[in-house]
PDB file of all heavy atoms in Angstrom:
ATOM      1  N   MET A 412     -45.757  35.980 -20.583  1.00  0.00           N
ATOM      2  CA  MET A 412     -44.367  36.102 -21.010  1.00  0.00           C
ATOM      3  C   MET A 412     -44.068  34.943 -21.955  1.00  0.00           C
ATOM      4  O   MET A 412     -44.707  33.884 -21.857  1.00  0.00           O
ATOM      5  CB  MET A 412     -43.401  36.136 -19.816  1.00  0.00           C
ATOM      6  CG  MET A 412     -43.590  35.069 -18.789  1.00  0.00           C
ATOM      7  SD  MET A 412     -42.470  35.235 -17.386  1.00  0.00           S
ATOM      8  CE  MET A 412     -43.224  36.521 -16.422  1.00  0.00           C
ATOM      9  N   ILE A 413     -43.112  35.187 -22.865  1.00  0.00           N
ATOM     10  CA  ILE A 413     -42.793  34.138 -23.837  1.00  0.00           C
ATOM     11  C   ILE A 413     -41.522  33.436 -23.399  1.00  0.00           C
ATOM     12  O   ILE A 413     -40.469  34.053 -23.331  1.00  0.00           O
ATOM     13  CB  ILE A 413     -42.638  34.742 -25.245  1.00  0.00           C
ATOM     14  CG1 ILE A 413     -43.983  35.337 -25.691  1.00  0.00           C
ATOM     15  CG2 ILE A 413     -42.147  33.687 -26.239  1.00  0.00           C
ATOM     16  CD1 ILE A 413     -43.969  36.010 -27.033  1.00  0.00           C
ATOM     17  N   LYS A 414     -41.664  32.167 -23.065  1.00  0.00           N
ATOM     18  CA  LYS A 414     -40.477  31.424 -22.628  1.00  0.00           C
ATOM     19  C   LYS A 414     -39.975  30.527 -23.750  1.00  0.00           C
ATOM     20  O   LYS A 414     -38.776  30.317 -23.887  1.00  0.00           O
ATOM     21  CB  LYS A 414     -40.811  30.564 -21.409  1.00  0.00           C
ATOM     22  CG  LYS A 414     -40.980  31.403 -20.152  1.00  0.00           C
ATOM     23  CD  LYS A 414     -41.070  30.506 -18.935  1.00  0.00           C
ATOM     24  CE  LYS A 414     -41.464  31.328 -17.722  1.00  0.00           C
ATOM     25  NZ  LYS A 414     -41.848  30.491 -16.614  1.00  0.00           N
ATOM     26  N   GLU A 415     -40.896  29.952 -24.525  1.00  0.00           N
ATOM     27  CA  GLU A 415     -40.511  29.013 -25.577  1.00  0.00           C
ATOM     28  C   GLU A 415     -41.221  29.385 -26.883  1.00  0.00           C
ATOM     29  O   GLU A 415     -42.383  29.014 -27.090  1.00  0.00           O
ATOM     30  CB  GLU A 415     -40.879  27.587 -25.110  1.00  0.00           C
ATOM     31  CG  GLU A 415     -40.495  26.508 -26.082  1.00  0.00           C
ATOM     32  CD  GLU A 415     -39.095  26.689 -26.663  1.00  0.00           C
ATOM     33  OE1 GLU A 415     -38.136  26.315 -25.963  1.00  0.00           O
ATOM     34  OE2 GLU A 415     -38.972  27.216 -27.785  1.00  0.00           O
ATOM     35  N   PRO A 416     -40.533  30.112 -27.755  1.00  0.00           N
ATOM     36  CA  PRO A 416     -41.177  30.577 -28.999  1.00  0.00           C
ATOM     37  C   PRO A 416     -41.750  29.436 -29.841  1.00  0.00           C
ATOM     38  O   PRO A 416     -42.719  29.631 -30.572  1.00  0.00           O
ATOM     39  CB  PRO A 416     -40.054  31.296 -29.742  1.00  0.00           C
ATOM     40  CG  PRO A 416     -39.011  31.600 -28.743  1.00  0.00           C
ATOM     41  CD  PRO A 416     -39.141  30.577 -27.660  1.00  0.00           C
ATOM     42  N   GLU A 417     -41.153  28.240 -29.719  1.00  0.00           N
ATOM     43  CA  GLU A 417     -41.623  27.108 -30.527  1.00  0.00           C
ATOM     44  C   GLU A 417     -43.096  26.761 -30.253  1.00  0.00           C
ATOM     45  O   GLU A 417     -43.765  26.155 -31.077  1.00  0.00           O
ATOM     46  CB  GLU A 417     -40.746  25.876 -30.292  1.00  0.00           C
ATOM     47  CG  GLU A 417     -39.461  25.890 -31.095  1.00  0.00           C
ATOM     48  CD  GLU A 417     -39.680  26.063 -32.600  1.00  0.00           C
ATOM     49  OE1 GLU A 417     -40.504  25.317 -33.168  1.00  0.00           O
ATOM     50  OE2 GLU A 417     -39.054  26.949 -33.204  1.00  0.00           O
ATOM     51  N   LEU A 418     -43.583  27.155 -29.076  1.00  0.00           N
ATOM     52  CA  LEU A 418     -44.986  26.937 -28.726  1.00  0.00           C
ATOM     53  C   LEU A 418     -45.911  27.587 -29.763  1.00  0.00           C
ATOM     54  O   LEU A 418     -47.053  27.180 -29.956  1.00  0.00           O
ATOM     55  CB  LEU A 418     -45.239  27.560 -27.330  1.00  0.00           C
ATOM     56  CG  LEU A 418     -46.581  27.370 -26.671  1.00  0.00           C
ATOM     57  CD1 LEU A 418     -46.794  25.909 -26.298  1.00  0.00           C
ATOM     58  CD2 LEU A 418     -46.685  28.235 -25.409  1.00  0.00           C
ATOM     59  N   TYR A 419     -45.391  28.632 -30.415  1.00  0.00           N
ATOM     60  CA  TYR A 419     -46.228  29.425 -31.326  1.00  0.00           C
ATOM     61  C   TYR A 419     -46.031  29.053 -32.798  1.00  0.00           C
ATOM     62  O   TYR A 419     -46.561  29.712 -33.672  1.00  0.00           O
ATOM     63  CB  TYR A 419     -45.950  30.929 -31.099  1.00  0.00           C
ATOM     64  CG  TYR A 419     -46.091  31.274 -29.639  1.00  0.00           C
ATOM     65  CD1 TYR A 419     -44.973  31.437 -28.825  1.00  0.00           C
ATOM     66  CD2 TYR A 419     -47.353  31.365 -29.048  1.00  0.00           C
ATOM     67  CE1 TYR A 419     -45.101  31.689 -27.472  1.00  0.00           C
ATOM     68  CE2 TYR A 419     -47.491  31.608 -27.704  1.00  0.00           C
ATOM     69  CZ  TYR A 419     -46.361  31.760 -26.917  1.00  0.00           C
ATOM     70  OH  TYR A 419     -46.515  32.004 -25.590  1.00  0.00           O
ATOM     71  N   ARG A 420     -45.221  28.002 -33.032  1.00  0.00           N
ATOM     72  CA  ARG A 420     -44.959  27.615 -34.428  1.00  0.00           C
ATOM     73  C   ARG A 420     -46.261  27.267 -35.137  1.00  0.00           C
ATOM     74  O   ARG A 420     -47.080  26.494 -34.640  1.00  0.00           O
ATOM     75  CB  ARG A 420     -43.959  26.449 -34.482  1.00  0.00           C
ATOM     76  CG  ARG A 420     -43.717  26.011 -35.888  1.00  0.00           C
ATOM     77  CD  ARG A 420     -42.329  25.532 -36.235  1.00  0.00           C
ATOM     78  NE  ARG A 420     -41.176  26.252 -35.749  1.00  0.00           N
ATOM     79  CZ  ARG A 420     -40.511  27.205 -36.455  1.00  0.00           C
ATOM     80  NH1 ARG A 420     -40.936  27.563 -37.639  1.00  0.00           N
ATOM     81  NH2 ARG A 420     -39.453  27.770 -35.952  1.00  0.00           N
ATOM     82  N   ASP A 421     -46.465  27.924 -36.292  1.00  0.00           N
ATOM     83  CA  ASP A 421     -47.627  27.709 -37.169  1.00  0.00           C
ATOM     84  C   ASP A 421     -48.956  27.981 -36.468  1.00  0.00           C
ATOM     85  O   ASP A 421     -49.986  27.406 -36.822  1.00  0.00           O
ATOM     86  CB  ASP A 421     -47.606  26.278 -37.733  1.00  0.00           C
ATOM     87  CG  ASP A 421     -46.317  26.014 -38.509  1.00  0.00           C
ATOM     88  OD1 ASP A 421     -45.798  26.970 -39.126  1.00  0.00           O
ATOM     89  OD2 ASP A 421     -45.800  24.882 -38.472  1.00  0.00           O
ATOM     90  N   LYS A 422     -48.921  28.860 -35.456  1.00  0.00           N
ATOM     91  CA  LYS A 422     -50.157  29.212 -34.739  1.00  0.00           C
ATOM     92  C   LYS A 422     -50.539  30.671 -35.047  1.00  0.00           C
ATOM     93  O   LYS A 422     -49.679  31.481 -35.421  1.00  0.00           O
ATOM     94  CB  LYS A 422     -49.947  29.054 -33.222  1.00  0.00           C
ATOM     95  CG  LYS A 422     -49.675  27.616 -32.788  1.00  0.00           C
ATOM     96  CD  LYS A 422     -50.960  26.853 -32.708  1.00  0.00           C
ATOM     97  CE  LYS A 422     -50.835  25.363 -32.599  1.00  0.00           C
ATOM     98  NZ  LYS A 422     -50.105  24.794 -31.567  1.00  0.00           N
ATOM     99  N   ASP A 423     -51.819  30.998 -34.829  1.00  0.00           N
ATOM    100  CA  ASP A 423     -52.256  32.397 -34.912  1.00  0.00           C
ATOM    101  C   ASP A 423     -52.016  33.018 -33.540  1.00  0.00           C
ATOM    102  O   ASP A 423     -52.451  32.475 -32.509  1.00  0.00           O
ATOM    103  CB  ASP A 423     -53.746  32.486 -35.256  1.00  0.00           C
ATOM    104  CG  ASP A 423     -54.017  31.975 -36.674  1.00  0.00           C
ATOM    105  OD1 ASP A 423     -53.259  32.368 -37.593  1.00  0.00           O
ATOM    106  OD2 ASP A 423     -54.969  31.198 -36.858  1.00  0.00           O
ATOM    107  N   VAL A 424     -51.307  34.172 -33.539  1.00  0.00           N
ATOM    108  CA  VAL A 424     -50.925  34.790 -32.263  1.00  0.00           C
ATOM    109  C   VAL A 424     -51.369  36.246 -32.233  1.00  0.00           C
ATOM    110  O   VAL A 424     -51.161  36.983 -33.212  1.00  0.00           O
ATOM    111  CB  VAL A 424     -49.377  34.724 -32.096  1.00  0.00           C
ATOM    112  CG1 VAL A 424     -48.940  35.489 -30.862  1.00  0.00           C
ATOM    113  CG2 VAL A 424     -48.892  33.289 -32.033  1.00  0.00           C
ATOM    114  N   VAL A 425     -51.985  36.655 -31.127  1.00  0.00           N
ATOM    115  CA  VAL A 425     -52.301  38.073 -30.919  1.00  0.00           C
ATOM    116  C   VAL A 425     -51.467  38.576 -29.748  1.00  0.00           C
ATOM    117  O   VAL A 425     -51.520  38.004 -28.651  1.00  0.00           O
ATOM    118  CB  VAL A 425     -53.808  38.274 -30.602  1.00  0.00           C
ATOM    119  CG1 VAL A 425     -54.092  39.727 -30.206  1.00  0.00           C
ATOM    120  CG2 VAL A 425     -54.661  37.883 -31.802  1.00  0.00           C
TER     121      VAL A 425
END
Side-chain angles (χ1 to χ4, degrees):
M412 49 183 79
I413 296 178
K414 287 190 189 167
E415 182 44 81
E417 279 305 309
L418 185 67
Y419 307 102
R420 178 146 317 265
D421 302 327
K422 296 280 167 57
D423 293 314
V424 174
V425 173

